[in-house]
Amino acid sequence: MDRPSTPPPTSTSRAQDTLLTPERVRQIEINRLRAKAKQRQREEAEASSSSSTNAHHKRPLSNNAVTKSPTTPGKQKPLARDSRLGKYFDYDLSKMVNTRGGFLVEDDKEVDEAMIAKEKQRERERAKHNLEPQISLDPKMNPKCKECQSIDIDHNFKKTFGCLVCNKCKNDHPEKYSLLTKTECKEDYLLTDSELRDQEALPHLLKANPHKSTFANMMLYVRYQVEEFAWKKWGSPEALDAEYERRMTIKKKTKNRKFEESLRDLRRRTRETVWQKRQDAEHKHVYGPVENGGQVCHTCGFTIEVEEF
């Protein structure tokens, strides 16, 4: 079967083309563009209509993509909220106040701007207090370690105990810079509770108790400061040792006396029990010989016979 082909132009059509004027050609081009614009509008209208179908009696794919796409311009219905999420509360963050127990909002109470400003000022002061001092360019202006003359000192020791020492020397000289607890100061250096609570005489560091959070805070002291205070109180280390021995002797005598008193009390209570009284009240027979060869109790007259072998 032969394929159809375009017939060759005739001589009359060629004559008509040559007879067209420029105005005629311009009008033909305008009509062609108008027809194309109308055809394009008709196609867009068919594509946007949901009832329009293609040659296979189906909606065009482009139509589905336009209507189902989330980026399609136009008003979209809001998504339904899942009821399993519970209630939703909308907080105004500008009204929230840090109450040191959580961020709480009270609608019926106005925000105290003065109180918030004071709290912010306190936070700045605390941050400034905890900030380490800057190192001066002049070496003479910087504090130095008493042991090695280093400017890298421990600022916590300086602020708490007023002691200029670096971390290296603090670890190398535990006989001077180790920390003692309040109990050790009482037992080893015989210091009283009022003396240990005096911040000016014996500066101390408060630290959370490692055994239990509900226990009282630990009070830590620097060893050389405690020793200086103890030598000043007792006179010398020998006097401290003598006082320690004297107290231990008194403690031992007191312990022995209490033990002896408790032992005597135990003996007295044991002797005065009902069982002991019953044993003491029980009669014991005392026998003696008689004429008929038997034996009789001299107290109650009970007689027994004795056989001779």
Side-chain angles (χ1 to χ4, degrees):
M1 182 178 180
D2 297 337
R3 296 178 58 187
S5 61
T6 304
T10 60
S11 58
T12 58
S13 62
R14 290 175 182 173
Q16 291 178 358
D17 293 341
T18 56
L19 294 176
L20 292 177
T21 61
E23 292 294 334
R24 183 64 178 170
V25 174
R26 179 173 174 274
Q27 187 65 32
I28 293 173
E29 186 66 23
I30 292 174
N31 294 337
R32 187 177 66 82
L33 293 176
R34 287 177 180 176
K36 290 179 65 177
K38 290 182 180 180
Q39 180 67 20
R40 188 182 300 109
Q41 291 177 1
R42 186 165 54 254
E43 291 178 356
E44 290 178 357
E46 292 177 357
S48 61
S49 177
S50 59
S51 60
S52 62
T53 57
N54 55 14
H56 301 284
H57 303 284
K58 300 291 185 180
R59 285 186 299 173
L61 181 61
S62 60
N63 187 20
N64 294 335
V66 171
T67 55
K68 298 295 183 63
S69 177
T71 59
T72 303
K75 187 176 179 181
Q76 300 289 338
K77 293 184 179 179
L79 296 176
R81 188 174 180 277
D82 193 349
S83 60
R84 294 175 297 178
L85 298 176
K87 295 182 179 180
Y88 176 76
F89 299 95
D90 188 9
Y91 292 101
D92 188 357
L93 300 180
S94 62
K95 295 183 180 180
M96 285 190 176
V97 181
N98 188 3
T99 59
R100 301 300 179 185
F103 288 89
L104 304 178
V105 178
E106 298 181 5
D107 296 335
D108 56 346
K109 184 178 179 181
E110 296 182 357
V111 179
D112 191 356
E113 299 293 341
M115 185 63 66
I116 296 176
K118 289 182 180 180
E119 183 63 26
K120 291 182 179 180
Q121 181 65 24
R122 294 193 192 99
E123 291 181 359
R124 287 194 295 267
E125 291 178 357
R126 285 193 293 267
K128 184 178 179 180
H129 178 72
N130 296 330
L131 185 64
E132 295 184 359
Q134 298 179 357
I135 298 176
S136 176
L137 297 177
D138 188 3
K140 297 180 180 179
M141 301 296 296
N142 297 320
K144 298 180 181 179
C145 176
K146 296 192 300 184
E147 303 293 337
C148 64
Q149 300 301 316
S150 173
I151 63 174
D152 188 18
I153 63 173
D154 190 344
H155 294 282
N156 291 330
F157 258 61
K158 180 177 181 297
K159 287 187 292 186
T160 305
F161 304 107
C163 177
L164 299 177
V165 62
C166 63
N167 291 320
K168 182 177 182 301
C169 296
K170 181 178 65 176
N171 297 328
D172 293 343
H173 303 280
E175 70 281 358
K176 294 179 61 177
Y177 302 105
S178 59
L179 298 179
L180 301 176
T181 62
K182 182 180 177 181
T183 305
E184 292 174 341
C185 295
K186 282 184 175 182
E187 295 178 354
D188 298 342
Y189 297 94
L190 307 180
L191 301 180
T192 61
D193 187 75
S194 59
E195 293 172 346
L196 293 173
R197 291 187 179 275
D198 190 356
Q199 183 67 26
E200 297 181 358
L202 288 174
H204 54 269
L205 173 66
L206 293 178
K207 190 176 181 181
N209 199 303
H211 300 289
K212 200 171 183 180
S213 60
T214 56
F215 290 173
N217 293 332
M218 296 176 61
M219 301 173 65
L220 302 177
Y221 303 83
V222 181
R223 182 180 294 274
Y224 84 92
Q225 293 181 352
V226 175
E227 290 180 352
E228 289 178 358
F229 186 85
W231 304 159
K232 185 178 179 180
K233 177 181 179 180
W234 301 109
S236 63
E238 291 76 12
L240 176 62
D241 294 340
E243 178 67 18
Y244 180 80
E245 293 294 336
R246 186 184 70 83
R247 293 190 181 188
M248 291 302 295
T249 302
I250 295 175
K251 184 178 180 181
K252 186 176 181 180
K253 289 182 179 180
T254 304
K255 184 177 180 180
N256 293 337
R257 184 175 66 254
K258 289 183 179 180
F259 175 74
E260 291 176 358
E261 290 179 357
S262 61
L263 185 60
R264 287 196 297 269
D265 182 68
L266 178 62
R267 289 174 179 173
R268 179 180 56 80
R269 288 187 287 106
T270 304
R271 187 172 58 251
E272 293 178 358
T273 57
V274 178
W275 179 83
Q276 185 67 29
K277 291 180 181 179
R278 187 181 303 167
Q279 291 294 327
D280 296 341
E282 184 178 355
H283 175 69
K284 295 181 180 180
H285 297 289
V286 180
Y287 296 100
V290 290
E291 296 179 356
N292 56 3
Q295 291 186 354
V296 61
C297 178
H298 298 288
T299 304
C300 60
F302 182 75
T303 306
I304 59 173
E305 294 181 359
V306 180
E307 294 181 359
E308 298 181 357
F309 295 95

